Each structure stands twice: as C-alpha cells, then as structure tokens.
Amino acid sequence: MKIIDKYILFRYLKSVFFTLFILIPIAVVIDVSEKVDKFLRHDDLTFFHILKDYYLNFILYYANTFLPLATFIACIMFTSKLASNTEVIAISSANISFTRFLRPYFIGASILAVVALGMNHFVVPKGNEIKYAFEQEYIFSKTENRSYVKNFNLQLNDSAKIFIKNFSLLNNRGYNFSYAEFDGIKVKYRIVADNMLWDKENGNFVLSNYSERFIYPDRDSIAHGDKRVMTLDFTPDDLMISGSKSMEMTSDKLSEFITKSERRGVKNLNAYHVELYQRTSLPISAYILTLIAVSLSSRKKRGGTGVNLALGIGMMFMYVFFMKVAVVLGSAPNSNALFMAWLPNIIFSIIAIYLYYREKQQG
C-alpha cells in the first residue's frame, strides 16, 4: 500500500468515526431528556445499571444505524476538502486514474462493511434483547407493551394444530384454547379449555376447565376435568409474530425461527425476511454510498464543500426514504421480501455507476 493510499484510508476512517462521535451524543442527550423522569421513578435503578444495560446497547444500535449516513457524509466532506486543497488535482497529475484513486476508499468501505455485518447479524440483536428487557421493566407502561394476541392459529407439526382466542403476554394467560391432532385429514384427538396459563419454570401449560375427546374408529371417549398440565412445542414468545421481535434475534436464531414458523403454517413472515436480508444489504451499501460520495465531491466546485454536502445530504435522504418504503412494501403479504430489501441498493447502484463513469470520462 502506497503512502497516498494510507493517507486517504486513514483520513476516510477517521472522518467516519468522527461523524459518528458527533451524531451519537446528540441521540443520547435527546433520549436522556425524554426518559430521565422514568429513570428517577425507580429507587433500585443505579447509574451503572442504566449505562450497562440500556445506554451501551443504545449506542451500539444507533452507531450501527447511523453508519451509512456517517460514511456518506464523512466521505463527501473529506473528499471535498481534498478537492478544495487541489490535492485531487495533484493526484491526477501523477497519472493516477480515478479508478486507482478509489482503491483506498473501497478498502475503507470493506472494513466498515465487515464490521457492520458482524454488528447487524450478531452484536446488535443481542444488545436489542437486553435493551428491550430493560425498557419493559423500567420504561414502558403496561399499555405500551406488546401485550395481547387474538385469534391465533399455529401448526405445531404435520399432525397437530392449536387455536387460542385471546392470550395476554402480561400474565401469560390465554382463553378459549383448543388443540387437535390429525390422522391425515381426520381428527383423532382434541382438547379444549376455558383458560391456559404458561408455567415458565417448568416449561409447560396449565389448562383449566378442560374437555378432551379421543376419536377411535368405532367410538369416541370424552373426559372432563378442572386442571391439566400439558407440554406443547411452543412458548408465549412464539405467539408474537411481529417484525419488531426480529430485531432481538441473532441471524442464526432468526433463520431458525422463520423455518420453524413456515413449517407450522404461519402466514406472512415477510417482516422477518426483510429484517434478515437487510442485515446484509445495509452493510453492502457502504460501497455504493462511498462511490457516489467520491464521484460527487472529487472535483472542486463553486461554493466549495457546502454544495457537495447539500447534494450528499439530499441524496442520503432519498436513500433513507427508499429504504423505509422498501421495508413497508417488503413486509406486505405476497411481496418479494428479498427484492424489496435490496431495492434501495439496486437503485443507488445504478446512480453510482452513472456518476462513476461520468467522473471517469471527465478525468
């Protein structure tokens, strides 16, 4: 690696982390101002507990979220400064092509992409799980929690299915429960209960006021009872088919959950698919956004860095807009989640290639 490569790479990474260092404290200060009264309500809540379980994971989450924005803004500001100091002209005069000039930028983008991939797939989901547990205990009120499920069907395996009319995640209690086992298309066993309670310690459900029916070829057998302990292949967490839950799972657990839910016949898992695919597509955007930023700002313009920065921020807002639209559309039933998760990168790849060739021809 030549001296110029080391110089650009160092300045590139330094600018990215400096931008994050500016953005993250702003997010923390805003969050503290909103939640300080909720923290003070709990006498058992220490500063160390808040810092370790909440704000450490808060910083990890937002650092990862802001990384594409920080990469784009930092790259524009740093490259614009090179251009305004005529350093880019000096590099071109040394017979260094625009493609060669991009090499240290793409080395830096590769470093950021690898870090972001590890963060997205493993580190941030674990942190979100700890952060959400903290919020459930100290910040959210009961009405803000993901607390109720209605009319829930779940296929446990090829021959067993459950139905729950209502289930409260506040007290892990369900109402109007039924479980059926099938032999082909014929029911061979069925149990219904007025109430069900999840026993977390023993990992089973306690049914109250139940009635069960065994169906034989020549007769039926019906039994009633007040209480029955039943072990089933699901937990209350499986009742929450929500995209927000996916943020608390590492990618291996998320893939396993998707496979298991598909086998059970759960409908519309696209929110989970989009979350899984975006954990790869967003880090890859580091290459695309870096190429756009360098292509936009590598020439000295009238108005200086401000013009380049304004163009860059405008384009960044467009990227964020397309990303949010892609999440919404990708989560809809019958949509192609993989295509929608990668759609912002596809669109901006076309823009990046156009800007690259335009800059290359002008050089």
Side-chain angles (χ1 to χ4, degrees):
M1 185 182 291
K2 294 185 178 181
I3 294 176
I4 186 63
D5 294 327
K6 293 180 181 179
Y7 172 72
I8 293 176
L9 177 60
F10 174 76
R11 294 289 298 276
Y12 171 78
L13 294 176
K14 179 182 176 182
S15 300
V16 171
F17 289 113
F18 179 75
T19 305
L20 281 176
F21 184 75
I22 293 175
L23 294 174
I24 295 300
I26 295 173
V28 171
V29 168
I30 293 173
D31 191 75
V32 168
S33 66
E34 292 177 348
K35 296 186 173 66
V36 64
D37 58 327
K38 296 181 180 180
F39 294 148
L40 294 175
R41 292 174 188 170
H42 303 277
D43 296 333
D44 61 330
L45 193 56
T46 65
F47 174 77
F48 178 75
H49 188 189
I50 297 172
L51 187 64
K52 180 176 71 73
D53 287 353
Y54 184 75
Y55 278 110
L56 176 61
N57 297 305
F58 178 93
I59 290 171
L60 287 174
Y61 173 78
Y62 278 99
N64 197 58
T65 302
F66 289 153
L67 187 59
L69 174 63
T71 300
F72 197 59
I73 292 177
C75 194
I76 283 183
M77 293 184 66
F78 164 58
T79 309
S80 296
K81 189 172 182 180
L82 288 180
S84 64
N85 293 338
T86 66
E87 291 178 83
V88 176
I89 295 175
I91 292 171
S92 299
S93 300
N95 293 324
I96 295 176
S97 66
F98 183 66
T99 303
R100 176 62 183 81
F101 174 64
L102 286 170
R103 181 192 292 180
Y105 285 98
F106 274 84
I107 293 173
S110 298
I111 294 172
L112 295 177
V114 169
V115 171
L117 282 169
M119 295 280 288
N120 274 352
H121 285 283
F122 301 104
V123 178
V124 172
K126 288 183 178 180
N128 285 339
E129 186 178 6
I130 298 171
K131 175 174 165 286
Y132 180 72
F134 181 94
E135 290 173 332
Q136 289 285 88
E137 185 173 357
Y138 296 108
I139 297 176
F140 292 156
S141 65
K142 291 185 177 181
T143 57
E144 292 175 305
N145 292 327
R146 298 172 294 190
S147 52
Y148 296 99
V149 180
K150 294 183 178 181
N151 299 323
F152 189 86
N153 288 281
L154 188 63
Q155 182 117 12
L156 299 181
N157 52 52
D158 294 337
S159 61
K161 187 175 182 179
I162 66 169
F163 171 78
I164 304 172
K165 182 68 174 178
N166 293 287
F167 194 92
S168 170
L169 292 165
L170 295 177
N171 54 21
N172 287 326
R173 185 180 293 276
Y175 306 91
N176 295 338
F177 164 81
S178 72
Y179 167 87
E181 292 181 2
F182 297 85
D183 182 7
I185 61 173
K186 295 182 179 179
V187 178
K188 66 177 184 180
Y189 173 78
R190 177 180 171 86
I191 182 170
V192 297
D194 291 342
N195 300 287
M196 65 185 302
L197 179 66
W198 167 245
D199 184 353
K200 186 175 181 181
E201 183 177 348
N202 296 313
N204 52 39
F205 290 91
V206 180
L207 307 183
S208 301
N209 193 20
Y210 72 91
S211 174
E212 60 181 343
R213 179 183 181 186
F214 296 88
I215 302 172
Y216 302 108
D218 56 343
R219 63 186 177 85
D220 290 359
S221 175
I222 300 176
H224 302 277
D226 296 328
K227 184 177 179 181
R228 166 78 181 274
V229 176
M230 193 171 187
T231 301
L232 298 169
D233 185 25
F234 82 101
T235 69
D237 285 342
D238 295 327
L239 299 176
M240 290 305 301
I241 306 302
S242 165
S244 57
K245 182 185 173 185
S246 63
M247 297 174 65
E248 300 164 28
M249 301 184 198
T250 57
S251 293
D252 54 336
K253 291 182 179 179
L254 181 56
S255 298
E256 181 182 346
F257 181 86
I258 290 172
T259 302
K260 188 176 182 180
S261 298
E262 288 174 340
R263 187 175 67 248
R264 289 173 168 177
V266 177
K267 304 298 183 183
N268 190 24
L269 291 164
N270 279 351
Y272 286 92
H273 284 292
V274 170
E275 170 66 21
L276 183 61
Y277 298 144
Q278 277 201 329
R279 292 181 182 184
T280 300
S281 67
L282 286 178
I284 298 303
S285 69
Y287 296 102
I288 300 167
L289 297 177
T290 295
L291 181 57
I292 291 175
V294 177
S295 300
L296 280 175
S297 56
S298 60
R299 288 188 175 274
K300 191 172 183 179
K301 294 183 179 68
R302 182 177 298 176
T305 304
V307 175
N308 291 332
L309 190 59
L311 287 172
I313 291 176
M315 194 161 289
M316 192 66 219
F317 275 116
M318 287 177 57
Y319 181 83
V320 172
F321 171 77
F322 278 110
M323 185 179 69
K324 295 298 183 182
V325 169
V327 169
V328 174
L329 296 180
S331 300
N334 302 319
S335 67
N336 189 324
L338 177 61
F339 174 74
M340 295 309 301
W342 282 88
L343 181 61
N345 283 357
I346 294 171
I347 294 173
F348 278 78
S349 290
I350 297 171
I351 297 173
I353 292 171
Y354 165 74
L355 292 174
Y356 165 72
Y357 278 106
R358 188 190 70 171
E359 185 64 27
K360 188 177 179 181
Q361 289 174 358
Q362 290 178 354

